Each structure stands twice: as structure tokens, then as C-alpha cells.
Amino acid sequence: MEFPETGKRCSVKDCKLLDFLPFVCEHCQVTFCKEHFNTDSHECSKTENTKSVVEQSATSFLCSKESCEDASPIEMPCASCKQHFCVAHRHHGCLELSETERTQKLKKWQIPKKQFAEAKAIVDQQIADSLKKSKNTTLANKVQLMRVKCSAIGPKNVPTSERSYFLVHLPLTVKNKHIGTSKGAFVNMHWTIGKCIDSIADTLKVPNNNNTATANKLKLFRHSTGDLICSTMDTPLAKLFEDTAVFDGERVILEYSDNVPDNVIDSSLYK
């Protein structure tokens, strides 16, 4: 042989052909002739792993919905039944509530709704009652004022536009057959409560020694509650109207303070 080192023999046992242009398998890196370089021809051991990887990479997941043949390389299991479904059948009814469950859930949500409705109805009624009471009180006060105005007496020098009216109940110890037990009287709304008391006492002929330090003082009380209207005599009447301590046309009681314990009187005695 003239060139013994030239070429390489095929690695297939039954071949061993000397090939001057041999092929090397890209998988197993072994030399083969042109007849056996193909992986199938020499049953390449390295391609088995490759096939396995390729087969695994080509694995697909068939949709669990009957009659659906859609397959996906990515598994999308249902959170409830754990089965794979395609995008089109991902809402397959597994998570839907039964009629019984739906009814129970609806009832559960209706309970707080009903409670809210009942509470709202109670509040609405209370508001309506308060408004009605307020309207009735306002109306009653207006009617009271109109009645008092009809027969009220007072200083003639008080302008009509500045007059405030009261239905005054006289002290229990004072008897006046011309006036009776009560009489309407008007004062100037710009006066102090002390001056108003002096004017009412003078108009209704009630003995008044409020200017004497040691004398039994006259004071005004609300007929509705028996409470003292004001203890500070220099308080403006207009301020008492602002503070709703008294209202125009209100029934009041004129009484001596020595006859009143704790500035509260039994208004039922004054009729």
C-alpha cells in the first residue's frame, strides 16, 4: 500500500470500509463512510436522548371538553377540577354555583340589605316625626302669639314694631279682679329682662320692690317647664330670644323669688 495513513475506516463493524473522505457523526462524534454516516444507518446511540427531548418538548395537552380536539403546549388546569381546558372552554361551568347555592348566597346578601332598609325606615320616620313636631310647635307658637296680641296691654310709648308679647300669670299671692290670674302684656324687645319685669309688674299692678336690696324679688319663669328664664337682670331680651330661652307670645309666670325653691316652680298651680 502506497499511502497507508491516508483516509479512515468506517466504524460500523460489518463495514470497516476505508474512506478517503470519511464523515463524522455530529451526535456521537464517530467516523463513518458515506453509506453509514446517517444516524439511522449506524443506530446512533446519542440520538435516543435527542429524540426524548424532542418528544418531551412536543408534548401537548388536549382539552378535557368533549368533542374539543384543541391541544396546547401549556397546561391550564382548572382551579376546581384540576383538568386542562383550552382558552375557549376555560369557563366550563365547574366554578358556577348550583341553584341551591345561588339562592343561599342571595339570601345571605339580602339580610344586611333588609336590615339597612329597616333601620333607614326607622330613621326616616323619626325625622318625619321631628319635622312634624317642629312644624306643630312653630304653628302653636304663632297661634299663641296672635291670641296674646289681641288683648295685651303695656306702655303706649313702645313702638308697635318693637313690641314683644307674653301671656303673664300673676304671683299666687296677688289678686286682681280686673285682670284675673293671667293677662297678655307687651314690652320693648330691646330692654333688659330686669326692665321687662319692672314694666310687666307696673302694667299688671303687681307690687314690685326689685330696686330694694333686701326685698323679695320678682322673676320670670317658663310656664311649660317651671324653670327660671334668666337670673341676670341686665341680660337683653333679644339675647334670650336668640338663645331660645323664651319665645315671643310665650306663657310665663311672674313670681316672687322667696316663694320659689331652687328657681323652679310648680307651673300646674298657675292656671
Side-chain angles (χ1 to χ4, degrees):
M1 184 178 291
E2 191 172 339
F3 303 104
E5 299 300 325
T6 303
K8 289 188 178 182
R9 294 186 180 278
C10 179
S11 298
V12 175
K13 184 177 180 181
D14 296 334
C15 180
K16 299 297 182 180
L17 177 68
L18 179 63
D19 197 328
F20 294 99
L21 294 173
F23 295 89
V24 177
C25 178
E26 63 178 357
H27 300 291
C28 62
Q29 302 300 315
V30 179
T31 302
F32 297 95
C33 67
K34 65 179 181 179
E35 298 295 332
H36 297 111
F37 80 91
N38 188 280
T39 55
D40 290 334
S41 298
H42 65 267
E43 298 179 354
C44 183
S45 61
K46 297 294 183 180
T47 57
E48 294 299 323
N49 295 333
T50 305
K51 288 182 180 179
S52 177
V53 172
V54 172
E55 288 175 356
Q56 288 179 4
S57 63
T59 300
S60 60
F61 298 91
L62 187 64
C63 179
S64 299
K65 180 73 174 178
E66 291 183 10
S67 74
C68 181
E69 298 179 355
D70 191 11
S72 171
I74 301 174
E75 186 179 17
M76 295 182 288
C78 171
S80 178
C81 66
K82 309 302 180 184
Q83 297 185 73
H84 167 79
F85 288 90
C86 66
V87 176
H89 297 121
R90 64 187 184 278
H91 300 301
H92 54 280
C94 186
L95 297 176
E96 292 182 5
L97 299 176
S98 66
E99 190 63 31
T100 301
E101 291 174 328
R102 190 180 293 107
T103 302
Q104 291 176 346
K105 194 169 185 179
L106 182 61
K107 286 181 179 180
K108 180 181 178 181
W109 283 106
Q110 285 178 338
I111 291 175
K113 183 179 178 182
K114 182 180 179 182
Q115 292 174 339
F116 174 79
E118 292 174 349
K120 184 177 182 299
I122 293 173
V123 173
D124 289 345
Q125 186 60 49
Q126 290 176 342
I127 293 174
D129 292 343
S130 296
L131 290 174
K132 183 178 179 181
K133 183 178 179 180
S134 177
K135 289 179 180 179
N136 290 343
T137 301
T138 302
L139 179 61
N141 292 344
K142 288 181 178 179
V143 172
Q144 173 72 14
L145 176 60
M146 291 173 61
R147 289 176 177 173
V148 174
K149 277 185 176 182
C150 293
S151 59
I153 56 178
K156 294 182 179 180
N157 61 346
V158 177
T160 304
S161 61
E162 297 179 5
R163 293 179 180 180
S164 291
Y165 298 83
F166 297 102
L167 178 59
V168 184
H169 289 265
L170 275 59
L172 295 177
T173 57
V174 174
K175 305 298 180 182
N176 189 323
K177 63 180 181 179
H178 299 292
I179 294 177
T181 58
S182 63
K183 179 65 179 177
F186 62 81
V187 295
N188 193 311
M189 66 175 66
H190 301 299
W191 290 349
T192 64
I193 189 68
K195 187 171 182 179
C196 290
I197 291 174
D198 291 340
S199 177
I200 291 173
D202 183 60
T203 298
L204 302 182
K205 310 302 180 185
V206 176
N208 178 22
N209 295 311
N210 280 9
N211 293 328
T212 304
T214 59
N216 191 2
K217 302 291 191 300
L218 281 171
K219 292 184 180 180
L220 280 178
F221 301 83
R222 298 191 73 164
H223 188 276
S224 60
T225 62
D227 296 330
L228 178 67
I229 291 176
C230 182
S231 60
T232 308
M233 294 296 102
D234 59 353
T235 301
L237 179 60
K239 180 68 168 57
L240 297 177
F241 284 140
E242 271 182 46
D243 298 340
T244 63
V246 69
F247 62 86
D248 201 9
E250 185 170 2
R251 294 174 67 184
V252 296
I253 299 171
L254 183 65
E255 186 56 271
Y256 296 103
S257 57
D258 283 359
N259 299 334
V260 182
D262 300 326
N263 291 328
V264 178
I265 60 179
D266 182 2
S267 57
S268 65
L269 300 176
Y270 301 81
K271 300 178 182 179

